[in-house]
Amino acid sequence: MTKTVLITGATSGFGRAAARRFCDEGWNVIGTGRRAERLEELKSELGSKFHGLVFDIADEKATAEALNSLPDTFRPIDVLVNNAGLALGTAPAQETKLQDWHQMIDTNIKGLVTITHHLLPKLIEQKGMIINLASIAAHYPYPGGNVYGGTKAFVHQFSYGLRSDLHGTGVRVTAIEPGMAESEFTLVRTGGSQEASDKLYDGAKPLTPEDIAEQIFWVATLPPHVNINTLEAMPVSQSWAPFQVHRG
Ligand code: NDP
Ligand code: 8X3
């Protein structure tokens, strides 16, 4: 029986690479995002195994309408990959825009829990799986990480809470927690600065979207008695630095 995965944020980065990976392996893939033209491109590339759903994940009504519009061939869903998300800004908390904070919370937290809540009954029927994209930012604070790190800490802890509640249902839950990976992430974070994005990744050999897609696919295809709780990976070039100390 062909399995179906729904990947939020499939118009770019990890989500797009994962959509390609699952389709290549014969899965049915539902890919979501706000940019319709990107989903149309993926549809042309991947063919009938791919179904695009255009909606803003922060919009509860649009999310429900999109899911209700799914054709029968893309139901039921076996795996939900909660990948859509963003960081906005790198400024210290006291210099940020409140609107940016709200958008990160609405997307990374409210959007993620809304689609999860909507799909949970069916995922339980399927003994399915939820794979959430958290981040190293969930655990290791850095200057300018403020609300972004907070949203990813939520995603980490929500994943663990889901595991507890879903105990005995057979539904598996994993938080994937990457470090620095090159995608459109920094372009979005900096309001479109290609220069800032290139500078961040220059010479660092960051993780690639394909690296993360491989992790997602691996987690999704493990035997049904295995649950990876957290999968944290960084590029070799990235590690920790000492605490900062202010003297004065
Ligand atoms: P990209 O910016 O390349 O992709 C983000 C995806 O999220 C896009 O497909 C975008 O689609 C979608 N998205 C954002 N906002 C919304 C929205 N309101 N409604 C629907 N879709 C939305 O970033 P990455 O691939 O790097 O990031 C994917 C996930 O991984 C994110 O949750 C990110 O926080 C996390 N992550 C990223 C890391 C990195 O270093 N890159 C490291 C650790 C975690 P569209 O714009 O078309 O709506
Ligand atoms: C993205 C990784 O370190 O830029 O979640 O926050 S980081």
Side-chain angles (χ1 to χ4, degrees), residues 169-214:
T169 63
V171 176
R172 292 178 283 167
V173 186
T174 298
I176 295 199
E177 315 202 325
M180 179 193 273
E182 186 168 5
S183 62
E184 293 178 13
F185 179 82
T186 301
L187 211 52
V188 171
R189 185 171 210 167
T190 59
S193 171
Q194 189 63 54
E195 197 188 343
S197 182
D198 292 345
K199 197 169 158 213
L200 180 68
Y201 302 121
D202 184 38
K205 271 209 187 331
L207 299 173
T208 65
E210 289 70 27
D211 292 329
I212 311 304
E214 194 57 33

Side-chain angles (χ1 to χ4, degrees), residues 9-15 33-35 55-58 83-86 107 133-135 148 152 178-181 183-185 188:
T11 57
S12 166
F14 306 168
R34 290 165 300 178
R35 285 170 287 180
F55 64 94
D56 182 339
I57 198 139
N83 165 75
L86 79 172
T107 309
L133 261 294
S135 165
Y148 177 69
K152 292 301 175 176
M180 179 193 273
S183 62
E184 293 178 13
F185 179 82
V188 171

Side-chain angles (χ1 to χ4, degrees), residues 15-16 25 40 51 67 74 93 99 103 107 125 128 137 142 161 184 191 195 203 221 223 227 229-230 241 246:
R16 183 167 58 188
E25 299 290 337
E40 278 157 23
H51 186 81
L67 293 174
F74 287 85
Q99 177 50 39
Q103 191 178 340
T107 309
E125 270 179 36
Y142 59 86
E184 293 178 13
E195 197 188 343
T221 51
N227 194 98
N229 298 332
T230 305
H246 174 72

Side-chain angles (χ1 to χ4, degrees), residues 4-183:
T4 299
V5 57
L6 187 151
I7 304 168
T8 67
T11 57
S12 166
F14 306 168
R16 183 167 58 188
R20 288 176 172 141
R21 184 75 173 93
F22 279 92
C23 262
D24 284 351
E25 299 290 337
W27 287 55
N28 284 333
V29 176
I30 304 156
T32 86
R34 290 165 300 178
R35 285 170 287 180
E37 69 288 355
R38 292 276 184 104
L39 292 176
E40 278 157 23
E41 279 165 27
L42 261 186
K43 174 82 190 159
S44 312
E45 178 187 330
L46 300 174
S48 62
K49 290 267 173 211
F50 182 81
H51 186 81
L53 284 181
V54 183
F55 64 94
D56 182 339
I57 198 139
D59 182 337
E60 188 179 335
K61 188 162 165 273
T63 302
E65 281 171 4
L67 293 174
N68 290 335
S69 78
L70 277 173
D72 285 346
T73 39
F74 287 85
R75 298 167 196 258
I77 292 161
D78 300 284
V79 178
L80 166 63
V81 181
N82 278 319
N83 165 75
L86 79 172
L88 292 172
T90 53
Q94 59 275 25
E95 292 168 22
T96 54
K97 288 191 219 129
L98 182 59
Q99 177 50 39
D100 285 349
W101 283 9
H102 285 170
Q103 191 178 340
M104 287 187 274
I105 292 166
D106 288 348
T107 309
N108 303 358
I109 299 181
K110 279 183 77 180
L112 183 146
V113 301
T114 299
I115 195 163
T116 302
H117 193 268
H118 199 94
L119 292 177
L120 260 179
K122 290 287 176 204
L123 287 166
I124 291 169
E125 270 179 36
Q126 288 304 107
K127 295 194 193 303
M129 179 180 280
I130 300 167
I131 301 175
N132 292 327
L133 261 294
S135 165
I136 56 163
H139 307 290
Y140 314 110
Y142 59 86
N146 46 70
V147 165
Y148 177 69
T151 65
K152 292 301 175 176
F154 173 89
V155 174
H156 170 88
Q157 199 61 17
F158 180 57
S159 305
Y160 276 30
L162 278 175
R163 273 223 75 208
S164 294
D165 288 352
L166 292 166
H167 185 80
T169 63
V171 176
R172 292 178 283 167
V173 186
T174 298
I176 295 199
E177 315 202 325
M180 179 193 273
E182 186 168 5
S183 62

